[in-house]
């Protein structure tokens, strides 16, 4: 139960009313008897009501006319005391809501009379207010009368009454509209048929409205009439009215009750038809007025703008736009255009100030701005309102700098004066104030071309708190303080940017979230819901497209104006906080444009920040050079020689750093101010937080940062981070303490910027890499042709970016390393050194990074990472190759165990080093190889072993360093040893690999192509090793040949048994015979010139002092080695199909060596001949002799001493026994027949050697070559062993051939250089070794004939003939061709000739 209807309250009301009536009765007892009587009957009436009714209040209300009557009569007495008592009593009754409509009407009529008599005016107002606020019984004419009463009281002479009446009118108007709201609330559930409203201004259309709404309608309509200076329809009895008050009332209604106008068509109609035309009409003096223009030119005098009305109109307009924009699209377009016009420079200062305040109110409502954009800017033939607002703000700001502030005349002098004094003071004291840093506070201000405008604190961020729009009490235009309009305009811009970016970014995020939820939702199982989802997805997409169009239009409409204004303000700002705000606005706009993909506007904002970061006159050239073509670049960079600080805008800035510009030509220094550093930080912030949307403008950002880093003297350190360093040449960088403390921070932010690239998406990362690469290309261009310190910013940052993006290195590896490889080829040593540093660091980091999946399971990635290391091999600069090899060494030391498929690349790098690349390179590369051979052979795939062999071989062939060549041959021996020990494993793995390759080749329909195919893969490995050693055996350096030869034959000897039988064919033909051919060729063509010394102080023995003699040694070694293999591996070689052919080739080599003019070679050839002849025929198991045939070896060489003919030949008996066996009737087996052929081939070779070497010379020349005695001796000593194999077929012809050779041999004179060594003693007759050998040969024959068959017996005469001929020689020495010989004149010696 409410307070007024509780029993206590009712009781009190009755008592009070009766008390009031008694009081009235007493007061009127004498003067006004009728009133007294009425009062007394009223008391009775009240008592009766109280007694008879349970619901006393309702009864009171019913009879209220009678109850109130005495009080009304009391008021009619016009006695103040009585009137006051009556009004109080009436108010009490009204407050208890016991007044009926009729009674209320009577009360109002009575109040009207009082008003007309100017009685109790304040009490009247109070009574009206109580009457209207406590209930809704007053309607229609009564209500209008009550309102008119208040209006009339507003225009009395008494100030207090006026103000009270104004407040009452405001409250009453509010009450009228509040009634509409509550009425609507009561009827909201009743659906009624809307009655079409006629589209004309006929005011009778209110018939469709409910009572409260009708009252409100009539009231509002009349307010419009009154403001328009027309007669009211409803508020009858109005005598006067002011426009200002009318506008205030209109504004409050529109502002407080927008829903009434939006819900009721009748009210909307009023807005469109009455309010808007009224506002436009009232604005006309402001539109037409031009400050300073003479009025004489126009026919009628132009009405001057009137501040109170203009300001109130703007307030109404603000409300209309804010609340009813959707209703009044066309009208708002006009209002907004007017607002923009009011900013013109020829309007009064106060008008511009209130207009900019009104615009500020709009700028803090981004949704409203969005609506403008949709309704105007996006319509084809409409005014571009949103764009105009922004542009107008820009022009307004510009005009404030360019035009001296002029307002109405009273303030002009004051303003200009303050401006000048402020400007001068600031110009004189600013630098000092900045330097002192204490005591003096500098006013934040903008200064541009001598115009100084202070920045005032006009409002808090994001709210449009106006000053002059609130001056409702002022009649005269206020004095606008200097800087006020600028400060509001500045806040407009900031709030506009903040508002639209926050709104659009919020909507963007929302769209992304919606898209995600939609996508997740579409994975629903049922068909129908899928279709619904698809439908909603398409709706969503349409909505997003519409939204995107709006966002883009908003940005496109405002960015030019914003940028122009913000750039100007940035240039003019002297206050750090203001600068920060401007930069923040530019940054958020750049980021927003980036997010929406609007490249031009994004780049424009970024360029503005970049220009702000660099010294004046510097910015233009650098930033233009990023967009111009390469051809004009050098010109534009050279154009930087104007390095003056611009007096227009920079004079008041504190210089914090002096450095050199990054340019082709050395120039003076440039200065950086604290504002430059502030801009640089913003730029870093932009790149750090919004790198994902920078796209191609990374180019601008990085180019600017590069120049700043250069001016500040930051140089790259380990890992690419920049550290403060000294400039290499020219005046060194000068940094103030202010910036010195900043440098580590800037350096840190720079590093963090590139670290944060790990959070960019792939496309953005590519943009970043591309920008760095093109920046680096520019730096490379500038570094060509001079040895100046190059800018290493881009290379260092490429390295940093690569290092932090290791987790997805695949996507950027190619462009990144491709560019760094180019840098590595640069002629500037510092530049390429950094290129190599970056590349090798990346490769090492890539290999050690914990990839997912790990590198061991991702061979492709591993090869990708190692590939650039291989590519470095194509670069000729030794410093780069050294870095490359150092990198390989480090990789081996850290990753050697896990290189896997990367081995061929690593080995390829070592193998790519050429002899002409300097000792240090070869030594480093060889160090790597040694490490591989000693530590890593077991860990690498067996397929790589062949490469190891080839690389080791290639180091053997390097002629820079003999030790390396010899060591590499040692490595080859170690490798062969490894093959031998791990043979089974290697063979298994290679066979497996071979099967895979074979399959791939078959699928492609090609043949498997590898060296030594079709030998098994493991054998191929051996063959490669042999082939490499074979190459080294013909190296130009004797020591290498000797070492390689020994290693080759040792390897074949030690490990040859591992080879497949069929592979021996290749060993013989492709390795050994090939080698013999090359050695024979080199030996026969070797130089006979004497070599003085072996380099340095090494003396050479006379037996090796020509190339020919050195090659002779190689020939000897090689032939002996091959012969030994034929001897020891005969059982393997003979089953090969073409053994006899190989035998012939070997014999041919022995023959050509034996006939060589070098006695060392020829003698060695015979020794090799002897060695292969000790091979006895394969003997069947049953007939194996007691001792192996190899025992014969010592029997042939040096077994004969000069003791006479009777000395028996060793082991003749066993030979005799074997000869006996041959004579048995058993036919020889097949291999024996083949065997015989071999021996006969040997006999023919022996015969050819013998006949060639013992043939006397045709001419008699001094230099005729005479075979040496040891050679001839060895030759003849071969015959007995050879004869054992061919005796069965030895015929007379053969005997004659033998005779010729024996005869020839003993005919060869002993050359003079040998004679001192064989002078015999004179005491007894002596045979030379040769003569003894000849006799031994004949002795062997004679013994064979002795036990031989009959057809051998016929050889006796021939042998005797031969012996007789030799006897003859003892008396008459034989003649050796035409050669002149000296005979020793000693009878004893002569006998022995």
């Amino acid at each position: 139960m409410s307070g007024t209807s509780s029993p206590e309250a009712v009781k009190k009301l009755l008592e009070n009313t009766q008390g009031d009536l008694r009081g009235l009765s007493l007061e009127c007892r004498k003067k006004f008897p009728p009133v007294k009587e009425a009062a007394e009957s009223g008391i009775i009436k009240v008592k009766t009501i109280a007694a008879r009714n349970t619901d006393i209040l309702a009864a009171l209300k019913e009879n209220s006319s009678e109850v109130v009557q005495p009080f009304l009569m009391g008021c009619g007495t016009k006695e103040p005391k009585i009137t006051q008592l009556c009004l109080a009593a009436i108010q009490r009754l009204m407050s208890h809501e016991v007044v009926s409509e009729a009674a209320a009407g009577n009360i109002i009529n009575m109040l009207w009379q009082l008003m007309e008599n100017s009685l109790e005016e304040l009490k009247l107002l109070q009574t009206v207010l109580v009457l209207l606020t406590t209930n809704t019984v007053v309607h229609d004419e009564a209500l209008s009368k009550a309102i008119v009463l208040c209006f009339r009281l507003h225009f009395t002479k008494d100030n207090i009454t006026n103000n009270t009446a104004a407040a009452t009118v405001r409250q009453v108007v509010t009450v009228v509209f509040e009634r509409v709201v509550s009425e609507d609330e009561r009827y909201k559930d009743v659906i009624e048929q809307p009655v079409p409203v006629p589209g004309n201004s006929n005011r009778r259309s209110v018939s469709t409205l409910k009572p409260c709404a009708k009252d409100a309608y009539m009231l509002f309509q009349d307010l419009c009439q009154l403001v328009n200076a027309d007669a009211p329809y409803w508020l009858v009895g109005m005598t006067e009215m002011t426009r200002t008050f009318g506008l205030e009332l209109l504004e409050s209604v529109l502002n407080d009750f927008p829903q009434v106008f939006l819900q009721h068509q009748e009210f909307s109609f009023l807005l469109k038809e009455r309010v808007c035309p009224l506002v436009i009409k009232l604005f006309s003096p402001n539109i037409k007025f031009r400050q300073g223009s003479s009025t004489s030119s126009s026919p009628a005098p132009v009405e001057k703008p009137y501040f109170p009305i203009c300001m109130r109109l703007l307030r109404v307009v603000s409300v209309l736009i804010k609340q009813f924009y959707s209703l009044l699209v066309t009208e708002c377009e006009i209002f907004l255009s007017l607002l923009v016009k009011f900013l013109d420079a020829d309007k009064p200062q106060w008008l511009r100030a209130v207009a900019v305040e009104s615009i500020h109110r709009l700028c803090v409502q981004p949704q409203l701005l969005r609506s403008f954009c949709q309704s105007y800017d996006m319509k084809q033939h409409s005014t571009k309102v949103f764009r105009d607002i922004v542009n107008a703000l820009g022009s307004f700001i510009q005009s404030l700098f360019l035009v001296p502030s002029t307002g109405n005349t009273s303030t002009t002098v004051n303003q200009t004066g303050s401006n000048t004094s402020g400007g001068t003071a600031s110009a004189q004291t600013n630098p000092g104030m900045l330097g002192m840093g204490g005591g003096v506070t500098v006013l934040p201000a903008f200064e541009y071309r001598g115009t100084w405008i202070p920045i005032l604190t006009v409002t808090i961020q994001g709210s449009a708190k106006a000053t002059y729009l609130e001056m409702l009490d002022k009649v005269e235009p206020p004095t606008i303080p200097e800087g006020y309009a600028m400060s509001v305009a500045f806040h407009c811009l900031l709030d506009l940017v903040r508002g639209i970016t926050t709104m659009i970014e919020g909507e963007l995020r929302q769209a992304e979230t919606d898209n995600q939820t939609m996508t997740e939702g579409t994975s629903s199982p049922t068909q129908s819901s899928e279709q619904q989802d698809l439908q909603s997805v398409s709706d969503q997409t349409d909505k997003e497209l519409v939204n995107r169009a709006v966002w883009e239009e908003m940005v496109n409409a405002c960015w030019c104006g914003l940028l122009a204004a913000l750039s100007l303000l940035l240039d003019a700002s002297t206050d750090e906080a203001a600068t920060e705000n401007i930069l923040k606005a530019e940054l958020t706009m750049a980021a927003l444009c980036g997010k929406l993909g609007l490249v031009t506007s994004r780049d424009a904002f970024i360029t503005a920040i970049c220009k702000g970061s660099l010294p004046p006159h510097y910015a233009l050239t650098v930033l233009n050079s990023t967009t111009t073509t390469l051809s004009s670049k050098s010109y534009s960079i050279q154009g930087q020689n104007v390095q003056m600080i611009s007096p227009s805008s920079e004079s008041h800035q504190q210089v914090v750093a002096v450095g050199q510009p990054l340019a082709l030509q050395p120039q003076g220094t440039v200065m950086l101010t604290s504002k430059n550093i502030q801009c640089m930080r913003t730029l870093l912030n932009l790149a750090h937080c919004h790198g994902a949307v920078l796209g191609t403008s990374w180019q601008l950002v990085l180019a600017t940062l590069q120049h700043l880093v250069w001016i500040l003297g930051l140089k790259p350190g380990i890992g690419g981070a920049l550290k403060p360093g000294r400039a290499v040449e020219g005046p060194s960088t000068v940094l103030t303490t202010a910036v010195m403390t900043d440098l580590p921070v800037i350096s840190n932010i720079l590093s963090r910027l590139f670290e944060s690239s790990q959070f960019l998406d792939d496309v953005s990362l590519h943009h970043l890499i591309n920008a760095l690469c093109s920046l680096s290309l520019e730096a490379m261009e500038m570094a060509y042709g001079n040895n100046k310190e190059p800018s290493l910013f881009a290379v260092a940052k490429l390295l940093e970016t690569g290092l932090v993006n290791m987790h997805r290195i695949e996507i950027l590896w190619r462009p990144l390393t491709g560019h760094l490889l180019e840098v590595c080829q640069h002629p500037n040593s510092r530049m390429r050194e950094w290129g190599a540093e970056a590349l090798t660091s990346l490769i090492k980091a890539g290999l050690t990074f914990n990839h997912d999946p790990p590198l061991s399971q991702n061979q492709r990635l591993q090869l990708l990472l190692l590939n650039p290391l291989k590519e470095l091999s194509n670069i000729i600069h030794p410093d780069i190759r050294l870095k490359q090899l150092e990198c390989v060494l480090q990789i081996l030391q850290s990753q050697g165990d896990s290189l896997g498929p990367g081995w061929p690349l690593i080995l390829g790098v070592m193998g790519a080093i050429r002899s002409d690349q300097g000792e240090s390179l070869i030594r480093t590369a060889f160090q790597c190889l040694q490490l591989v051979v000693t530590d890593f052979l077991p860990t690498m795939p067996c397929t790589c072993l062949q490469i190891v062999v080839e690389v080791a071989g290639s180091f053997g062939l390097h002629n820079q360093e003999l030790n390396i060549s010899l060591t590499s041959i040692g490595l080859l021996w170690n490798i062969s040893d490894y093959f031998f020990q791990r043979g089974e494993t290697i063979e298994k793995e290679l066979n497996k690999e071979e099967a895979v390759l074979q399959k791939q080749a078959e699928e492609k329909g090609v043949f498997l192509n590898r060296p030594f195919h079709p030998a098994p893969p493991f054998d191929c490995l051996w063959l490669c090793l042999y082939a490499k050693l074979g190459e080294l055996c013909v190296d130009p350096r004797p020591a290498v040949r000797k070492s390689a030869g020994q290693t080759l034959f040792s390897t074949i000897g030690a490990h040859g048994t591992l080879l497949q039988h069929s592979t021996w064919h290749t060993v013989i033909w492709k390795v050994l015979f090939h080698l013999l051919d090359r050695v024979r060729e080199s030996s026969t063509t070797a130089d006979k010139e004497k070599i003085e010394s072996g380099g340095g102080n090494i003396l050479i023995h006379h037996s090796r002092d020509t190339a020919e003699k050195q090659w002779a040694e190689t020939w000897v070694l090689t032939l002996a080695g091959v012969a030994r293999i034929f001897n020891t591996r005969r059982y393997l070689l003979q089953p090969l199909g073409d053994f006899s052919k190989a035998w012939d080739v070997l014999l041919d080599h022995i023959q050509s060596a034996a006939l060589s003019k070098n006695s060392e070679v020829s003698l060695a050839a015979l020794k090799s001949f002897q060695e292969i002849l000790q091979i006895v025929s394969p003997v069947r198991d049953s007939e194996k002799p007691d001792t192996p045939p190899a025992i014969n070896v010592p029997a042939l060489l040096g077994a004969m001493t000069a003791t006479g003919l009777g000395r028996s030949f060793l082991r003749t008996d066993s030979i005799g026994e074997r000869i006996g066996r041959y004579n048995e009737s058993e036919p020889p087996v097949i291999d024996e027949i083949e065997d015989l052929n071999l021996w006969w081939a040997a006999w023919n070779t022996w015969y050819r050697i013998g006949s060639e070497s013992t043939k006397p010379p045709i001419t008699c020349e001094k230099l005729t070559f005479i075979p040496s005695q040891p050679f001839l001796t060895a030759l003849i000593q071969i015959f007995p062993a050879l004869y054992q194999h061919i005796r069965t077929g030895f015929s007379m012809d053969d005997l004659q051939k033998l005779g010729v050779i024996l005869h020839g041999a003993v005919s060869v004179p002993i050359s003079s250089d040998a004679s001192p060594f064989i002078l015999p003693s004179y005491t007894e007759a002596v045979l030379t070794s040769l003569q003894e050998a000849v006799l031994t040969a004949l002795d062997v024959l004679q013994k064979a004939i002795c036990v031989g068959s009959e057809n051998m017996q016929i050889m006796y005469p021939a042998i005797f003939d031969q012996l007789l001929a030799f006897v003859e020689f003892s008396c008459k020495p034989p003649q050796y061709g035409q050669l002149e010989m000296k005979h020793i004149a000693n009878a004893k010696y002569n006998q022995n000739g």
Side-chain angles (χ1 to χ4, degrees), residues 341-412:
K341 279 205 179 71
F342 292 164
L343 291 179
D344 288 351
D346 54 10
K347 297 281 182 270
Q349 282 299 94
W350 61 263
L351 179 54
R352 299 176 82 190
V354 285
V356 84
E357 283 184 347
S358 305
I359 287 179
H360 193 193
R361 286 186 167 178
L362 303 177
C363 288
V364 293
Q365 302 175 62
Q367 288 296 349
L368 191 59
L369 295 174
R370 180 202 176 108
S371 306
F372 295 166
C373 189
Q374 277 176 288
S375 306
Y376 309 125
D377 295 61
M378 291 177 79
K379 295 281 185 289
Q380 209 168 5
H381 300 295
S382 171
T383 321
K384 305 282 180 255
V385 173
F386 179 52
R387 188 187 63 200
D388 292 349
I389 292 174
V390 179
N391 290 350
L393 281 170
S395 312
F396 177 65
I397 288 171
Q398 206 167 356
S399 71
L400 291 176
F401 280 122
L402 302 178
V403 182
S405 48
T406 51
N408 36 19
T409 35
S410 62
T411 63
T412 307

Side-chain angles (χ1 to χ4, degrees), residues 1131-1313:
Y1131 65 92
L1132 285 171
L1133 302 180
Q1134 197 149 2
L1136 294 172
D1138 51 1
F1139 180 70
S1140 57
K1141 196 172 163 194
W1143 181 258
D1144 289 344
V1145 172
L1146 178 61
L1147 291 174
D1148 176 56
H1149 275 287
I1150 290 174
Q1151 178 181 324
S1152 50
L1155 296 175
S1156 155
K1157 298 286 189 281
N1158 183 302
S1159 53
E1160 181 187 359
V1161 174
S1162 52
L1163 190 59
L1166 292 182
K1167 285 181 181 169
S1168 298
F1169 201 178
Q1170 287 177 344
E1171 186 163 359
I1172 62 169
L1173 290 183
Q1174 283 141 38
I1175 312 162
V1176 287
S1177 307
V1179 181
R1180 286 188 293 280
D1181 289 349
S1182 57
E1183 298 170 350
K1184 276 191 180 166
D1186 303 339
T1187 50
I1191 296 276
N1192 282 351
V1193 175
L1196 293 166
L1197 288 180
M1200 295 164 281
T1201 50
T1203 50
L1205 283 170
R1207 177 117 176 98
S1208 66
F1209 194 70
L1210 277 185
R1211 297 204 52 81
T1212 324
D1213 294 346
S1214 67
I1215 290 174
E1217 287 164 23
R1218 296 212 37 225
I1219 289 169
R1221 271 192 219 133
Y1222 264 111
N1223 288 337
E1224 289 167 13
S1225 56
E1226 186 184 314
V1229 290
I1230 298 298
D1231 56 357
E1232 285 175 357
I1233 294 171
E1234 192 183 314
D1235 223 24
L1236 276 177
N1237 293 337
L1238 299 179
W1239 298 126
W1240 278 106
W1243 157 253
N1244 291 333
T1245 301
W1246 185 83
Y1247 170 67
R1248 281 196 294 277
I1249 295 171
S1251 57
E1252 281 295 320
S1253 57
T1254 58
K1255 194 189 287 176
I1258 301 156
T1259 55
C1260 177
E1261 286 174 20
K1262 213 160 191 186
L1263 293 171
T1264 307
F1265 174 76
I1266 299 169
S1268 66
Q1269 291 293 304
F1271 169 77
L1272 293 168
T1273 310
L1275 177 69
I1276 303 302
Q1277 282 174 348
I1278 290 172
F1279 176 72
L1282 182 56
Y1283 176 72
Q1284 302 312 324
H1285 297 292
I1286 57 168
R1287 62 178 177 24
T1288 46
F1290 198 75
S1291 65
M1292 264 312 280
D1293 286 352
D1294 299 325
L1295 184 57
Q1296 280 167 355
K1297 286 178 184 174
L1298 176 67
V1300 172
I1301 288 169
L1302 295 178
H1303 187 283
V1306 289
S1307 304
V1308 175
I1310 298 167
S1311 58
S1312 57
D1313 59 347

